[in-house]
Amino acid sequence: MTAPNLILLGPPGAGKGTHAEYLEKKMGLAHISTGDILRQAVAEVTELGKKAQQYMDAGQLVPDELVIELAKERLAKPDCARGWLLDGFPRTVAQAQALTKFMAEVKIPAPLVINMVISDEEVIGRLSGRRMCRGCPTIFNVERDDIDVGDSCPVCGGEIYIRTDDQPAAVKERLQVYKRQTEPVIEYYGQRGQLVTVDVEGEQADVARCLLVAATGGEMSDE
Ligand code: AMP
C-alpha cells in the first residue's frame, strides 16, 4: 500500500477526532487536528492562540491565512512522510485549494477524502454530551461513558472538562458555519473524484470498521 494521505470531512460531532485516533493507530499515520493545534496555542497563550481564541469561543472559523500557514508547517514535519490524516482541515474551499497547491508543489499524491455523514439532531445530542480530558486525547460522552465534569479521566487521571464551543449557542453557530463554509468543500473534492462517503450515525465500532475499509480501499478490515 502506498503512503496514504487522508482527510476526514464532517460536521462537528461526527466523530472525526475519535475515529482519527483509531485510524492513526491502525494505519500508522500522522494525525493532524488543526483544532487540537489551535486549542494548544490558546492554552499556551501564543501569538497564534491570542488571534484564534475569539473565533473559536464563538464557534466561528479562524481566518484562512492563519490556519493554512499552520497546516503547511505541520505537514512539512518529518513524521508526515509516512502518510497523514487531516482532521478538521480543510474547512473552506480556499483552504482546500491551498492544500491542493501545496501538495502539487511538494509532489505528494492527492489525498483520499472521507465524507462523514450524520444528521443535525444526532450532532446536537453528541456535542451536548461530549466531555474532554485535559491530560490525554480521549473523548468521552456523558451517556455512553458515565463520566462528567468533576470526575477524573479513567485513562490518565486528567481533569474532565466541557469545550467552550460545545455550549448550545456555539454548537448552533458551528453547524451553520459548517453548512455555509465547509459543505462546499465536499463538492470541491467530489468534482475532483477524491471523495468517498461513510454514514457515521451507527455504533462506534461499526462506523470504525466502515471507515477503515473506506480509508484503505478494502485492503484492511477489522474482522
Ligand atoms: P475542531 O476541534 O476541529 O472542532 O475545531 C475547533 C475550532 O477550531 C473550530 O470551531 C474553529 O474555530 C477552529 N478551527 C479548527 N480547524 C479549523 C480550520 N481548518 N479552519 C478554521 N478554523 C478552524
Side-chain angles (χ1 to χ4, degrees):
M1 190 166 52
T2 54
N5 298 311
L6 294 176
I7 295 174
L8 290 186
L9 276 185
K16 295 189 295 296
T18 303
H19 290 296
E21 293 281 323
Y22 167 80
L23 292 174
E24 173 190 8
K25 286 195 189 95
K26 279 279 177 191
M27 299 175 69
L29 305 172
H31 171 198
I32 301 170
S33 156
T34 43
D36 284 350
I37 297 172
L38 289 166
R39 270 185 291 281
Q40 193 176 348
V42 170
E44 291 170 359
V45 202
T46 64
E47 281 310 307
L48 172 67
K50 283 190 234 167
K51 287 182 191 149
Q53 181 164 23
Q54 51 174 321
Y55 299 100
M56 296 173 74
D57 285 350
Q60 289 162 5
L61 294 187
V62 173
D64 282 338
E65 58 277 16
L66 290 178
V67 185
I68 288 170
E69 215 32 58
L70 89 78
K72 287 204 287 197
E73 272 174 30
R74 180 63 188 87
L75 287 168
K77 296 214 165 136
D79 64 328
C80 291
R82 64 176 193 257
W84 44 251
L85 168 59
L86 277 174
D87 150 17
F89 182 92
R91 264 176 152 102
T92 64
V93 171
Q95 291 177 18
Q97 287 166 336
L99 180 64
T100 301
K101 187 161 169 265
F102 171 78
M103 295 185 71
E105 279 163 11
V106 296
K107 299 193 171 52
I108 311 175
L112 176 72
V113 184
I114 302 181
N115 179 28
M116 300 168 71
V117 177
I118 183 170
S119 67
D120 287 359
E121 295 70 37
E122 180 72 17
V123 160
I124 291 165
R126 285 188 190 184
L127 292 184
S128 60
R130 181 158 74 177
R131 300 293 181 265
M132 314 294 286
C133 173
R134 291 206 195 276
C136 75
T138 316
I139 299 167
F140 299 98
N141 187 284
V142 277
E143 310 287 334
R144 187 190 60 214
D145 304 310
D146 192 24
I147 192 169
D148 212 337
V149 175
D151 298 333
S152 301
C153 171
V155 178
C156 77
E159 184 194 350
I160 301 296
Y161 74 102
I162 304 176
R163 277 171 49 168
T164 320
D165 59 357
D166 279 347
Q167 307 293 346
V171 167
K172 206 169 150 223
E173 175 66 15
R174 285 161 72 205
L175 265 175
Q176 280 167 3
V177 164
Y178 177 77
K179 288 183 199 302
R180 202 169 51 236
Q181 292 180 271
T182 309
E183 279 190 350
V185 177
I186 300 171
E187 202 182 320
Y188 173 85
Y189 284 118
Q191 280 169 357
R192 299 173 68 88
Q194 288 171 243
L195 195 72
V196 292
T197 295
V198 175
D199 182 332
V200 296
E201 213 156 297
E203 287 296 319
Q204 192 172 312
D206 296 336
V207 171
R209 269 192 288 277
C210 293
L211 287 171
L212 185 63
V213 169
T216 62
E219 282 186 35
M220 281 176 82
S221 72
D222 208 9
E223 301 306 328

